[in-house]
Amino acid sequence: KAGVTQTPRYLIKTRGQQVTLSCSPISGHRSVSWYQQTPGQGLQFLFEYFSETQRNKGNFPGRFSGRQFSNSRSEMNVSTLELGDSALYLCASSRTQGLGSSGANVLTFGAGSRLTVL
Amino acid sequence: DAKTTQPTSMDCAEGRAANLPCNHSTISGNEYVYWYRQIHSQGPQYIIHGLKNNETNEMASLIITEDRKSSTLILPHATLRDTAVYYCIVRVGSGGSNYKLTFGKGTLLTVNP
């Protein structure tokens, strides 16, 4: 089956611009979460969506936002880009939101979108 | 903040077992331990997870101590392709709206020929 697809894979923006990243989850997966990865901070949780609703949010400023569509595809947007927003943005999908019926939740990650802000 | 402690790096000879430790002394009774790995410039890949009992799948084995305060991921016959950063994670929060996974810095495992 197809994995998690993220587009674009690479992009370059300048300070002050905005960017939209897209994530298509595995078919049948209803939960999508987003992570930012930088060399200094590692992998940090941004937010999670389930059934078109944001269920969880990490400690990021309001410039970072997202949404989920009825087909479970998700987008995240970063406005007024700063140099520090340069990072690998990862999307992960899972069948359920939070804990599954077994008490566990396994995420499948996409390859990421690498954003460079100049 | 991450609730796990892992060594920054480890080396392993190709063909030998790689044993990656993780401390999670504050783990609560219903929190699972997950292991993921990330090969350079790719998204993290799920390896295995467990609650109390030892677990084994086609990729690895997970040994969890009886008090659940630490665990060890075992790659039985490491290959060069196993060179990656390995993350040990425990679920943070009580589920529902508080659920999220927090990744620490992980262990860079280098498999040498």
Side-chain angles (χ1 to χ4, degrees), chain A residues 9 35 37 40-43 45 48 55-56 88 90 97-99 102-107 109-111 114, chain B residues 30 32 34 36 38 41-46 49 87 91 94-105:
Chain A
R9 289 293 313 280
Y35 291 80
Q37 185 172 33
Q41 299 297 320
L43 267 162
F45 173 79
E48 179 189 14
R55 304 290 179 149
N56 252 314
L88 179 66
L90 291 157
Q97 178 259 334
L99 298 176
S102 66
N105 186 306
V106 174
L107 301 179
F109 284 83
R114 184 165 296 280
Chain B
N30 61 350
Y32 281 73
Y34 299 84
Y36 287 79
Q38 187 174 25
S41 297
Q42 297 182 20
Q45 176 192 23
Y46 165 79
H49 73 277
Y87 296 98
R91 181 185 61 81
S94 57
S97 60
N98 291 322
Y99 172 83
K100 62 181 180 181
L101 283 179
T102 299
F103 289 75
K105 298 294 186 181

Side-chain angles (χ1 to χ4, degrees), chain B residues 76-95:
Chain B
H77 306 287
T79 70
L80 299 180
R81 289 180 294 180
D82 292 324
T83 293
V85 176
Y86 287 77
Y87 296 98
C88 168
I89 303 150
V90 295
R91 181 185 61 81
V92 175
S94 57

Side-chain angles (χ1 to χ4, degrees), chain B residues 19-56:
Chain B
N19 297 291
L20 291 88
C22 178
N23 287 318
H24 31 79
S25 58
T26 59
I27 193 170
S28 63
N30 61 350
E31 287 186 314
Y32 281 73
V33 179
Y34 299 84
W35 283 83
Y36 287 79
R37 72 180 182 183
Q38 187 174 25
I39 297 170
H40 183 62
S41 297
Q42 297 182 20
Q45 176 192 23
Y46 165 79
I47 301 173
I48 199 168
H49 73 277
L51 182 62
K52 296 180 182 178
N53 301 319
N54 298 337
E55 302 287 345
T56 296

Side-chain angles (χ1 to χ4, degrees), chain A residues 40-59:
Chain A
Q41 299 297 320
L43 267 162
Q44 294 186 285
F45 173 79
L46 280 159
F47 28 64
E48 179 189 14
Y49 287 86
F50 181 81
S51 294
E52 303 177 63
T53 302
Q54 187 180 90
R55 304 290 179 149
N56 252 314
K57 192 176 190 306
N59 297 321

Side-chain angles (χ1 to χ4, degrees), chain A residues 10-66:
Chain A
Y10 303 92
L11 67 167
I12 299 174
K13 294 285 187 179
T14 57
R15 281 180 298 174
Q17 288 187 310
Q18 74 167 9
V19 66
T20 299
L21 308 177
S22 178
C23 172
S24 293
I26 290 174
S27 178
H29 284 194
R30 299 172 61 192
S31 174
V32 173
S33 53
W34 289 88
Y35 291 80
Q36 181 197 64
Q37 185 172 33
T38 60
Q41 299 297 320
L43 267 162
Q44 294 186 285
F45 173 79
L46 280 159
F47 28 64
E48 179 189 14
Y49 287 86
F50 181 81
S51 294
E52 303 177 63
T53 302
Q54 187 180 90
R55 304 290 179 149
N56 252 314
K57 192 176 190 306
N59 297 321
F60 280 82
R63 300 185 297 108
F64 292 81
S65 63

